[in-house]
Amino acid sequence: MKYITNNSLIINNSYLACKFFGTLGNIDKYIKTVNNLPILSYNEEISLAYDLQKTNNLNAAQKMILSHLRLVVSISKRYLGYSFLHSDLIQEGNIGLMKAVKRFNPDQGVRLASYAIHWIRAEIHEYILKNSRLVKIATTKSQRKLFFNLRNYKENLNSMNLKKIDLLAKTLDVKRKDIIEMETRLSGKDIEMDYLYNNYDKLPLIFYLSTEITEPIKIIESLQYNRFQLKKLKSALNKLDIRSRRIVEARWLVENNSVATLHELAKEFSVSAERIRQIETVAFKKMKNLLKE
């Protein structure tokens, strides 16, 4: 449920849905009904606009909206080629109409229909861009312009060679590379990464994606970090006394699983196993402090 608020003015979009879709049952009846709604004269429109502006009269806003619902239907028909339900496009266009009514200034000397066209289109455009792909296909101003114009221009061109691309770029006031990039985006489609596309695939596409671990930058970072850690560890070991260093190396820095036990080291240094454990604990604390420094 979407609202447009301005102080005490609240225009609820569900009102239109309940009033028409809920009672009429289908889009064709809705369109037929809104096309039969009365059109406001210029004086009526200005009077209602002043009433809304000064008193936040919800009834005035409602009359202005209802009289322009046919405009939303007309504009939304131009976007049926984007594979969206007409009812959804109308719903979004109605939101744009409500925003236009909220911001309409009767002192500007223009009709609400002329002013509302921009808001209706903007809302439909935003809906299409957000829902066309999983990843938003157009974000910049030039990309949005190309998204809604490239298809129409391509229908009038037999091929998209560089000469025609340059002509189109000049017409739309965009760069050649933007047209090529948008054409590439539009020609592609979303791919389900966990779906098997044919009987020859043993694994879905998601299993073929590389992980961060195999990325060259991550590998270099890991190697540099390991070298840094090794350098610091050697420095800390060199600051231990000979016995403490021997115990730490024999217990934790050996290969081939030939780790010395406490009893083996106790026999080597002629002390108890508990004494070896104490020396090891003190050595670790000292190394920890050295590594912090």
Side-chain angles (χ1 to χ4, degrees), residues 13-235:
N13 194 30
S14 64
Y15 169 81
L16 299 175
C18 293
K19 183 175 179 61
F20 295 110
F21 287 109
T23 57
L24 299 175
N26 62 58
I27 186 65
D28 293 329
K29 290 184 179 180
Y30 171 84
I31 293 174
K32 183 177 180 181
T33 301
V34 299
N35 285 336
N36 289 328
L37 291 174
I39 299 176
L40 297 174
S41 67
Y42 176 74
N43 291 333
E44 289 174 330
E45 182 180 292
I46 295 300
S47 177
L48 290 170
Y50 277 124
D51 189 12
L52 175 61
Q53 190 181 66
K54 294 177 181 179
T55 67
N56 290 329
N57 186 348
L58 182 59
N59 290 328
Q62 177 181 308
K63 290 178 181 178
M64 295 171 70
I65 292 170
L66 294 178
S67 67
H68 289 80
L69 290 179
R70 69 181 70 203
L71 175 63
V72 176
V73 171
S74 176
I75 294 175
S76 64
K77 287 181 180 178
R78 305 171 192 175
Y79 300 94
L80 291 177
Y82 291 93
S83 302
F84 290 97
L85 293 176
H86 195 186
S87 57
D88 290 339
L89 296 174
I90 290 174
Q91 176 83 347
E92 298 302 317
N94 286 343
I95 296 172
L97 173 61
M98 294 175 190
K99 290 181 178 180
V101 169
K102 172 188 172 183
R103 294 168 173 81
F104 181 60
N105 183 359
D107 294 325
Q108 291 180 341
V110 298
R111 295 299 298 264
L112 175 59
S114 300
Y115 179 76
I117 289 175
H118 163 77
W119 291 97
I120 296 169
R121 285 177 178 170
E123 208 67 31
I124 294 176
H125 284 187
E126 191 64 27
Y127 172 75
I128 292 174
L129 289 173
K130 283 183 177 180
N131 295 278
S132 292
R133 302 284 176 86
L134 291 175
V135 178
K136 199 169 183 179
I137 196 171
T139 54
T140 66
K141 183 178 180 181
S142 60
Q143 287 174 349
R144 294 168 70 97
K145 185 190 296 185
L146 285 169
F147 181 87
F148 290 103
N149 289 282
L150 190 56
R151 179 187 301 180
N152 296 331
Y153 279 96
K154 281 179 63 180
E155 291 176 356
N156 300 323
L157 299 175
N158 296 325
S159 63
M160 288 289 287
N161 55 45
L162 290 179
K163 184 177 179 180
K164 292 180 179 179
I165 289 176
D166 289 336
L167 178 61
L168 182 56
K170 184 177 180 181
T171 303
L172 296 177
D173 191 25
V174 296
K175 298 178 181 179
R176 176 202 286 182
K177 66 176 184 179
D178 292 333
I179 295 179
I180 296 174
E181 181 181 354
M182 182 54 65
E183 171 62 15
T184 303
R185 293 187 181 188
L186 291 175
S187 61
K189 61 180 181 180
D190 293 328
I191 299 176
E192 296 181 44
M193 300 304 295
D194 56 352
Y195 178 76
L196 291 175
Y197 285 87
N198 56 60
N199 295 330
Y200 299 102
D201 292 331
K202 295 182 179 180
L203 293 172
L205 292 176
I206 194 169
F207 284 91
Y208 295 98
L209 294 178
S210 63
T211 64
E212 288 188 356
I213 298 175
T214 61
E215 291 182 4
I217 294 179
K218 294 294 181 180
I219 294 174
I220 294 173
E221 287 179 351
S222 178
L223 289 173
Q224 289 179 339
Y225 181 76
N226 289 339
R227 289 184 189 131
F228 174 78
Q229 291 288 80
L230 182 59
K231 181 180 179 181
K232 292 293 182 182
L233 180 60
K234 287 181 177 179
S235 177

Side-chain angles (χ1 to χ4, degrees), residues 282-293:
V282 172
F284 278 152
K285 287 182 180 180
K286 185 175 181 181
M287 289 180 65
K288 184 177 180 180
N289 291 329
L290 291 170
L291 289 172
K292 282 184 178 180
E293 294 175 1

